[in-house]
């Protein structure tokens, strides 16, 4: 990564089931393997499953930060793969929409990370609800994940449309997951690009890459470990590692405050 500041980026989608959380976990694994300090924030606050994919059971999560006075250090959880997670809760209706006070709590808590992390990966929920928009507004880069399905394409467009028309966000990276071949991945990106170019003036989409279908991915999910932790690798692992290399070349914008706290603070004053 260029620059002296942490890079904060989201992995997001319009549709559920596109493999967004799995990609977040494996990108965290790949970036950590390159010697970076990485924290993965599970921002799907009501239906969290980063810990499930890793086969772990943290004793505390963001629910305890908001409702029981826990500190960030109480929640940060080390994984065997070189990165830390900030787990959220699942099945807690209290977490479905953060209040302004809870956003302020998170703002203050994240301040402690700014000197300790190179990358903060924010794994959002799917769709266009308040939490999804909140976290996507609070990052520097947004990676929109879609698959070769019409519903995935239309929902990705819907997310980008809301971010553009309601919040003025214009720049997105696109990552096509579970693609049978490069041609199909490029076609999906082209269709999304054409829709945005026609209906959403000013939106900029960059194709970050594509992740091929790979039976090792399913095996890794069943075994509750990152597929990039497999010493034998595989096509999906190779593709994720290439995406991680690209991310390391992203430059933190010099015209921003740069620290993690800044991104949460700017959002509080926008909403």
């Amino acid at each position: 990564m260029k620059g002296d500041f942490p890079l904060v980026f989201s992995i997001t989608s319009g549709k559920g089931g596109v493999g967004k959380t799995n990609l977040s976990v494996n990108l965290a694994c790949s970036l950590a393997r390159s010697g970076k300090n990485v924290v993965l924030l599970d921002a799907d606050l009501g239906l969290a499953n980063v810990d499930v994919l890793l086969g772990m059971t943290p004793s505390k999560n963001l629910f305890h930060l908001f409702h029981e006075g826990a500190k960030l250090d109480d929640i940060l959880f080390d994984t065997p793969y070189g990165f830390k997670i900030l787990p959220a809760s699942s099945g807690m209706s209290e977490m479905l929409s953060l209040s302004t006070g809870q956003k302020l709590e998170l703002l203050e808590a994240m301040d402690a990370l700014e000197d300790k992390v190179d990358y903060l990966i924010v794994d959002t929920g799917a769709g266009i609800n308040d939490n999804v928009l909140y976290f996507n507004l609070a990052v520097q880069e947004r990676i929109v994940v879609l698959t070769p399905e019409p519903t995935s394409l239309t929902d990705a467009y819907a997310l980008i449309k809301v971010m553009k028309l309601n919040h003025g966000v214009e720049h997105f990276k696109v990552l096509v997951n579970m693609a049978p071949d490069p041609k199909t991945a490029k076609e999906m990106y082209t269709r999304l690009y054409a829709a945005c170019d026609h209906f959403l003036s000013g939106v900029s989409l960059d194709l970050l890459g594509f992740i091929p279908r790979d039976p090792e991915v399913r095996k890794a999910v069943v075994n509750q470990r990152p597929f990039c932790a497999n010493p034998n690798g595989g096509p999906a692992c190779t593709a994720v590692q290439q995406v991680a290399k690209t991310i390391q070349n992203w430059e933190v914008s010099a015209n921003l405050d740069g620290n993690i706290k800044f991104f949460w603070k700017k959002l509080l004053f926008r909403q």
Side-chain angles (χ1 to χ4, degrees):
M1 179 180 61
K2 300 176 181 179
D4 300 322
F5 301 123
L7 180 64
V8 187
F9 65 92
S10 64
I11 310 291
T12 191
S13 67
K15 182 181 182 296
V18 299
K20 170 181 53 59
T21 298
N22 207 2
L23 290 175
S24 298
V25 166
N26 283 279
L27 274 173
C29 182
S30 296
L31 288 168
R33 278 190 166 184
S34 67
K36 302 300 182 181
N37 294 317
V38 181
V39 172
L40 172 55
L41 168 61
D42 192 340
D44 192 351
L45 301 184
L47 295 170
N49 55 20
V50 165
D51 54 341
V52 176
L53 277 179
L54 292 168
M56 298 174 180
T57 310
S59 60
K60 294 185 184 297
N61 54 54
L62 290 174
F63 176 87
H64 299 90
L65 173 73
F66 296 135
H67 297 280
E68 297 186 6
K71 304 298 183 184
L72 192 72
D73 286 341
D74 300 328
I75 302 170
L76 270 174
F77 194 82
D78 286 299
T79 74
Y81 309 107
F83 63 92
K84 299 178 186 290
I85 62 172
L86 274 171
S89 58
S90 185
M92 295 285 189
S93 60
E94 300 94 330
M95 299 290 286
L96 293 179
S97 184
L98 296 180
S99 68
T100 299
Q102 288 169 333
K103 291 173 183 177
L104 183 59
E105 285 184 72
L106 186 58
L107 156 68
E108 295 301 329
M110 297 306 290
D111 190 29
L113 283 181
E114 66 181 30
D115 297 322
K116 302 176 183 178
V117 63
D118 296 309
Y119 296 96
L120 174 63
I121 303 173
V122 182
D123 175 33
T124 79
I128 54 174
N129 67 42
D130 180 69
N131 280 351
V132 173
L133 299 178
Y134 169 70
F135 286 110
N136 274 317
L137 284 168
V139 299
Q140 293 162 300
E141 299 283 357
R142 299 153 196 90
I143 300 174
V144 178
V145 179
L146 68 154
T147 62
E149 298 177 4
T151 52
S152 174
L153 180 68
T154 56
D155 289 357
Y157 172 78
L159 172 63
I160 292 170
K161 178 181 178 181
V162 171
M163 294 290 295
K164 160 64 176 175
L165 298 183
N166 293 5
H167 302 284
V169 177
E170 296 185 330
H171 302 286
F172 302 86
K173 312 292 186 183
V174 177
L175 185 58
V176 182
N177 194 24
M178 296 181 268
D181 51 64
K183 179 181 178 182
T184 301
K186 186 64 180 293
E187 287 175 353
M188 294 302 295
Y189 166 73
T190 301
R191 290 171 62 186
L192 181 61
Y193 182 95
C196 292
D197 185 58
H198 185 74
F199 296 106
L200 302 174
S201 176
V203 166
S204 170
L205 299 184
D206 295 317
L207 181 60
L208 181 58
F210 80 96
I211 313 300
R213 289 178 183 167
D214 184 348
E216 293 301 317
V217 173
R218 178 62 182 169
K219 292 178 184 177
V221 171
V222 172
N223 293 326
Q224 295 181 288
R225 66 194 309 267
F227 58 79
C228 281
N230 186 343
N232 297 322
C237 178
T238 300
V240 167
Q241 289 172 342
Q242 184 57 52
V243 171
K245 289 179 182 178
T246 300
I247 289 172
Q248 289 181 68
N249 289 324
W250 288 351
E251 185 170 0
V252 176
S253 179
N255 66 349
L256 296 177
D257 190 331
N259 61 44
I260 288 175
K261 184 176 179 179
F262 171 78
F263 297 100
W264 312 103
K265 181 185 291 184
K266 73 171 184 178
L267 187 57
L268 279 174
F269 288 101
R270 287 179 63 172
Q271 291 192 331

